[in-house]
Amino acid sequence: MCFWIIQTTKNEDTFAISSHQSQQRIVPRGNNPPYLHTLLLLLLLPQDHPKATPSLSTMSAALSSSLYISPKKPSCPQQSQPTILSTKPTSIKTTLHSHPLFSVADQTVTLQMKEKILCLELMGIDSGKALSLNPCLCSASLDSIESVLHFLQSKGIYPNDLPRILGMCPKILTSDVRTELHPVFMFLSNDLHVPENAFRRVIKKCPRLLISSVEDQLKPALFYLQRLGFKDLEALAYQDPILLVSSVEHTLIPKLRFLESIGYSRAEAIGMILRCPALFTFSIENNFKPKLDYFMSGIKGKLENLKEFPQYFAFSLEKRIKPRHLESKERGLELPLSLMLKSTDEEFEQLLTKASSVANG
């Protein structure tokens, strides 16, 4: 049996390939998956090999790269064609078993595990990352994974959406269709009034919806947001669904209290959040505090200015706020926050030039 160790070289267009039977040689990267930066093909190693790992869970946790199965001989990338994994019940196992990578894997790797790894890789999902983030995949049956894929597609999710959605939330693959996934779509339909043909848009915006409990997370968050004054359900569904998967107790309430703690009344703080819902997604320590500190000590602004333009917190402190403020200050100009930050680079330069001309004229 031949095993290969594949690593990217300094030249990003090639792979360095070596085996226990041959010396290292360089081959073109070609159409190899771009996320495979360092691949140790342990699934082909004999169990008694010193580099073999005792278990898949240990292996997936230890490696930062994908698990990957190699054929005995590297095929020419220029001649290879992308493999499309059918998700039809009658063909998925046939597709997997007929794939050239399937037959060369170490026989000590179980049939079911080989099927799952190939299933993930052929869909474009990093199997190593998925298994590490969701160890339950190790014991899940391929049939249960199939049922999840079929259900998602029945709800309008396209096959080419799955790599991103499942890559972000691999827990979806082991969710129960009847008790966990179906209720989420019922929530979208009944509570947010999202039509079936728009399910895909909402899920693509926030895949975490699919791993959130309707009763323990989604409904309580919606109830709290509506109490604050979020009345536009369409905007909540299509623009800010991340708020629905945010903890009321640990995320939403603390952000509101922080705004109150710096001098705003509860009504003013709520008004700021309604004008800029993204405020609920910002970190207090990494966003609010440093930007507020610069606003007070650097810009020497007033809280009233932030109340009028809460979007200030959405701009990068180092890349946008500081550079533009310092440039305005150097030219002796004092621009409104919205004008200073929202304008494009070209518009900002025109503002400075025009204001300088007026000042000198």
Side-chain angles (χ1 to χ4, degrees), residues 18-192:
S18 59
S19 78
H20 69 301
Q21 295 177 345
S22 63
Q23 294 183 344
Q24 187 179 87
R25 62 194 182 92
I26 304 299
V27 298
R29 176 189 290 273
N31 294 323
N32 290 287
Y35 56 79
L36 301 179
H37 293 293
T38 302
L39 303 175
L40 183 58
L41 310 186
L42 294 172
L43 292 180
L44 294 180
L45 297 179
Q47 281 294 302
D48 58 353
H49 192 278
K51 290 189 177 182
T53 52
S55 68
L56 186 66
S57 59
T58 302
M59 174 168 53
S60 61
L63 297 177
S64 59
S65 59
S66 305
L67 294 176
Y68 196 77
I69 303 176
S70 168
K72 291 183 179 180
K73 296 181 180 180
S75 58
C76 178
Q78 287 81 0
Q79 296 178 352
S80 62
Q81 297 295 326
T83 303
I84 300 176
L85 178 64
S86 170
T87 55
K88 294 181 179 180
T90 56
S91 63
I92 185 169
K93 289 191 177 184
T94 302
T95 301
L96 294 176
H97 292 190
S98 63
H99 195 279
L101 302 184
F102 182 85
S103 59
V104 299
D106 190 341
Q107 295 305 308
T108 58
V109 179
T110 66
L111 173 67
Q112 189 181 80
M113 185 56 68
K114 286 193 291 183
E115 289 176 340
K116 282 184 286 190
I117 291 175
L118 274 175
C119 178
L120 294 172
E121 291 290 348
L122 296 179
M123 283 194 298
I125 299 170
D126 185 332
S127 59
K129 180 180 177 182
L131 289 163
S132 178
L133 294 176
N134 184 10
C136 292
L137 274 170
C138 293
S139 57
S141 69
L142 189 63
D143 288 339
S144 67
I145 294 175
E146 268 190 81
S147 67
V148 169
L149 299 178
H150 289 306
F151 178 75
L152 293 179
Q153 291 185 59
S154 74
K155 294 300 181 181
I157 309 299
Y158 294 175
N160 58 8
D161 296 330
L162 296 176
R164 176 180 173 274
I165 292 173
L166 301 177
M168 290 177 64
C169 302
K171 186 180 176 182
I172 296 170
L173 287 166
T174 54
S175 297
D176 184 275
V177 170
R178 185 181 64 83
T179 62
E180 295 175 315
L181 296 180
H182 179 68
V184 172
F185 288 96
M186 292 299 293
F187 170 80
L188 294 180
S189 179
N190 297 337
D191 295 81
L192 293 181

Side-chain angles (χ1 to χ4, degrees), residues 187 192 202 205-209 212-213 216-226 228-253 255-256 270 272-282 288:
F187 170 80
L192 293 181
V202 179
K205 182 74 173 179
C206 185
R208 284 174 55 195
L209 286 165
S212 299
S213 166
D216 298 333
Q217 172 59 51
L218 300 181
K219 285 188 175 181
L222 177 60
F223 179 72
Y224 178 75
L225 292 169
Q226 287 180 314
L228 290 183
F230 282 83
K231 297 179 180 179
D232 190 345
L233 295 179
E234 184 174 325
L236 198 56
Y238 301 131
Q239 298 174 26
D240 305 298
I242 192 172
L243 300 185
L244 295 168
V245 300
S246 302
S247 168
V248 173
E249 182 180 358
H250 300 294
T251 301
L252 304 183
I253 292 178
K255 307 291 174 62
L256 183 60
I270 291 174
M272 291 173 67
I273 289 173
L274 291 177
R275 293 182 63 183
C276 182
L279 291 179
F280 264 151
T281 68
F282 299 149
F288 282 127

